[in-house]
Amino acid sequence: MNNTEIPNNKPLLSVKNLEKHFVTKKNFFGHPKEYAYSLNGISFDINKGETLGLVGESGCGKTTAGRTIMGIYKPTAGEVYLHGERLDLSKGPEKRIQMIFQDPYACLNPRMTVGEIIGEPLEINHVYDDNKAKLQRVYELLELVGLSREQANRFPHEFSGGQRQRIGIARALSVNPDIIICDEPISALDVSIQAQVVNLMRRLQKELGLTYLFIAHDLAMVKYISDRVAVMYMGAIMELADAEELYRNPLHPYTKSLLAAIPVPDPDIRQDISSIKGEIGTGDMTGCPFAPRCNKASDKCFKEMPAIKNVEGHQIACHSI
Ligand SMILES: Nc1ncnc2c1ncn2[C@@H]1O[C@H](COP(=O)(O)OP(=O)(O)OP(=O)(O)O)[C@@H](O)[C@H]1O
Ligand code: SF4
Ligand SMILES: [Mg+2]
């Protein structure tokens, strides 16, 4: 019922060489002097109905990737295509791409009722002229995420963390987006609530044919929810493969150390990526960003950024493979 049909057989979303550099220091004349190289040319496709997991350590650029794809941040370079059609991200956020945020406490306006919060994207995008029809849609969305229509007049502080994330999901769904970017949607929740929210997201995906980009630290949860997984390191994708395959047979040195850092492969236990040995390099280096920490690094690795290639069905950026 929800999503528009794909008019061609192109991937639903295509990200090509997307870059985002933030100016972090300006000189006396107000010209940029220093940058944070948060996204250094990432590329991937997402097909309709699938979940692509995006994992990597804190600060590697996951949120920047999500926000640049949906037009919250203006890209420094690169393109985003939806159904094969290039998006003009200079115009600001794209309605067909919605986001679920990490912190349900911070992202809901405390002065708005839940009904107003869920209905806001409908209002901004002028989806309904008729208030009655809009309210009906809000009720429908509340029930879809396991809340009741009577709760529309309540305020966010009256809800638990899990319920607030359900409100965030209803809000993201309100405008029938083609894809939802989920930025660590469960990491701020109690462990006991995390599975409920993930299971709700999976049910909605099946029922509505939703497509997700699922950003997370938690490798076990990403494996559970994703069809394919992309591993990011310092603004670049190191490896992308089918979820099962990636966890069973990681090929890239960084993916290997990331998976070796998981103590127990149990989805009930929340696992953060623990420390990997070695210093993290700076973002504007010319070679492989993982070189300062990689035990397979050669001279070439410090001089030349490896291009993405296809190995055993994995997309990989590494000189040694
Ligand atoms: N608005 C900004 N201005 C300057 N630098 C930024 C900005 N947003 C992010 N960065 C920098 O870009 C890098 C990537 O940040 P980002 O928030 O995308 O990482 P992340 O992978 O989402 O991390 P986490 O797992 O902690 O959420 C970091 O070094 C961060 O300091
Ligand atoms: S390119 Fe070189 S430094 Fe980078 S992961 Fe591969 S072997 Fe290690
Ligand atoms: Mg983040």
Side-chain angles (χ1 to χ4, degrees):
M1 90 183 208
N2 244 336
N3 294 287
T4 42
E5 285 303 310
I6 304 175
N8 50 42
N9 55 9
K10 300 244 166 63
L12 188 144
L13 184 87
S14 240
V15 173
K16 293 196 194 301
N17 303 315
L18 200 63
E19 292 182 24
K20 178 66 194 174
H21 303 161
F22 294 101
V23 176
T24 48
K25 242 187 208 166
K26 291 184 178 174
N27 68 13
F28 181 74
F29 302 103
H31 299 304
K33 191 176 165 205
E34 278 176 26
Y35 295 91
Y37 295 83
S38 306
L39 219 53
N40 288 323
I42 59 164
S43 301
F44 55 79
D45 290 339
I46 308 184
N47 298 312
K48 184 172 162 55
E50 82 166 341
T51 299
L52 178 71
L54 186 59
V55 294
E57 290 164 281
S58 183
C60 75
K62 303 179 296 296
T63 296
T64 305
R67 289 177 165 242
T68 310
I69 290 167
M70 68 174 291
I72 297 177
Y73 294 152
K74 193 168 171 266
T76 307
E79 295 119 49
V80 177
Y81 296 82
L82 203 57
H83 305 300
E85 177 198 313
R86 186 172 172 184
L87 299 179
D88 182 0
L89 295 175
S90 63
K91 284 186 181 155
E94 163 62 51
K95 162 177 161 265
R96 292 172 290 172
I97 308 177
Q98 291 291 317
M99 201 164 201
I100 303 172
F101 297 90
Q102 173 172 9
D103 187 353
Y105 297 92
C107 71
L108 305 177
N109 186 334
R111 283 177 289 278
M112 285 167 81
T113 65
V114 165
E116 285 165 347
I117 288 169
I118 296 173
E120 194 180 39
L122 299 169
E123 192 88 34
I124 293 168
N125 293 290
H126 312 291
V127 178
Y128 296 105
D129 295 331
D130 176 6
N131 267 340
K132 226 173 162 186
K134 192 177 80 187
L135 194 61
Q136 205 49 47
R137 174 72 178 143
V138 168
Y139 290 158
E140 183 188 304
L141 287 159
L142 276 167
E143 281 163 10
L144 195 62
V145 298
L147 297 170
S148 71
R149 58 174 62 200
E150 289 74 31
Q151 290 171 313
N153 291 323
R154 303 246 192 106
F155 288 88
H157 73 264
E158 298 176 61
F159 292 85
S160 68
Q163 285 175 320
R164 287 184 225 197
Q165 198 51 293
R166 286 170 194 263
I167 297 164
I169 294 170
R171 181 185 156 91
L173 286 174
S174 65
V175 286
N176 290 333
D178 289 339
I179 177 157
I180 301 184
I181 296 176
C182 316
D183 189 2
E184 311 231 21
I186 54 162
S187 56
L189 302 176
D190 284 353
V191 175
S192 57
I193 309 295
Q194 289 183 349
Q196 284 177 23
V197 173
V198 166
N199 288 334
L200 169 71
M201 290 176 65
R202 278 170 70 112
R203 177 172 66 74
L204 292 171
Q205 179 168 42
K206 262 198 209 134
E207 284 176 17
L208 308 175
L210 299 174
T211 306
Y212 293 137
L213 175 64
F214 192 93
I215 296 170
H217 275 92
D218 183 335
L219 292 166
M221 192 54 85
V222 170
K223 183 182 177 198
Y224 176 67
I225 196 164
S226 305
D227 300 296
R228 292 184 301 139
V229 173
V231 178
M232 250 182 110
Y233 186 77
M234 289 186 70
I237 289 181
M238 301 281 107
E239 182 164 9
L240 193 160
D242 280 349
E244 285 288 330
E245 167 63 18
L246 186 91
Y247 284 73
R248 194 179 52 78
N249 180 30
L251 298 179
H252 194 284
Y254 178 60
T255 318
K256 284 183 181 173
S257 33
L258 209 53
L259 290 174
I262 300 185
V264 201
D266 180 343
D268 292 335
I269 299 172
R270 200 174 157 246
Q271 291 147 344
D272 281 341
I273 295 156
S274 59
S275 57
I276 294 167
K277 286 192 177 61
E279 289 292 306
I280 299 183
T282 56
D284 57 350
M285 52 164 52
T286 42
C288 170
F290 191 51
R293 298 167 94 186
C294 181
N295 56 13
K296 290 204 172 157
S298 62
D299 285 351
K300 191 180 179 186
C301 302
F302 288 92
K303 289 183 193 136
E304 211 179 292
M305 173 74 189
I308 295 270
K309 58 189 169 190
N310 222 309
V311 180
E312 299 175 34
H314 299 219
Q315 288 170 48
I316 284 211
C318 179
H319 291 307
S320 78
I321 297 165

